[in-house]
Amino acid sequence: MDNTNITLPLLDVNSPHCALRVEKAIRTVPAIAGAEVDLNEHAAHLTSTAPAQAVREAVAAIRQAGYNVATEHHRFTTTGVTCAGCANSAGNILNKLPGIISARVDHVDKQAEIEVVKGSLTVDDLLNALKPAGYGLIAQAA
């Protein structure tokens, strides 16, 4: 498999010491083949053959080290999700997308809650991932 390049926008990384701590934390993640923190960009640049897993684990490692990544929280009304199996399937599809930190789909309240790395995925990306399985998302007002 080829390596995928991933960029994580970092929060509160304002000194060389902070950048070094974040880079050290990221390098402990087995799914990451390479990592570099660019202090000027306030970003971590990663490479991985398993980008979806790498993003989740890198964000967890960064948070564990006391720093954070810029994320967006989305809440949607779901369509086509009629049972627990559908909710599980839709959640699995979303969680395989690089950039998703967490995706929870509930068939009872017909809701999806998704946390994504800021700027990594659009709402259309999420919709297009679910569409082949017959599921949909309707954005809710913030």
Side-chain angles (χ1 to χ4, degrees):
M1 280 184 107
D2 292 332
N3 276 332
T4 300
N5 295 320
I6 304 158
T7 299
L8 300 177
L10 299 172
L11 300 173
D12 303 321
V13 178
N14 300 314
S15 72
H17 174 74
C18 295
L20 187 61
R21 288 191 54 182
V22 168
E23 193 170 301
K24 184 177 178 182
I26 294 169
R27 289 178 187 253
T28 66
V29 176
I32 294 175
E36 178 182 301
V37 173
D38 187 321
L39 184 57
N40 294 327
E41 290 180 21
H42 294 280
H45 301 287
L46 320 172
T47 56
S48 177
T49 57
Q53 176 185 351
V55 167
R56 278 191 301 281
E57 291 179 5
V59 169
I62 291 166
R63 288 175 174 169
Q64 179 93 24
Y67 301 93
N68 211 343
V69 173
T71 64
E72 301 168 330
H73 294 268
H74 299 282
R75 178 175 230 149
F76 298 96
T77 299
T78 59
T79 61
V81 178
T82 59
C83 67
C86 292
N88 189 43
S89 178
N92 286 339
I93 291 167
L94 291 169
N95 280 308
K96 288 180 183 173
L97 296 175
I100 296 286
I101 296 167
S102 67
R104 186 188 69 75
V105 180
D106 188 319
H107 73 286
V108 175
D109 63 8
K110 299 194 182 313
Q111 302 287 310
E113 294 181 17
I114 303 168
E115 182 182 14
V116 60
V117 172
K118 187 172 186 166
S120 65
L121 294 167
T122 65
V123 172
D124 283 341
D125 293 332
L126 303 174
L127 291 169
N128 291 333
L130 290 174
K131 200 176 289 186
Y135 307 126
L137 300 171
I138 301 168
Q140 295 181 355

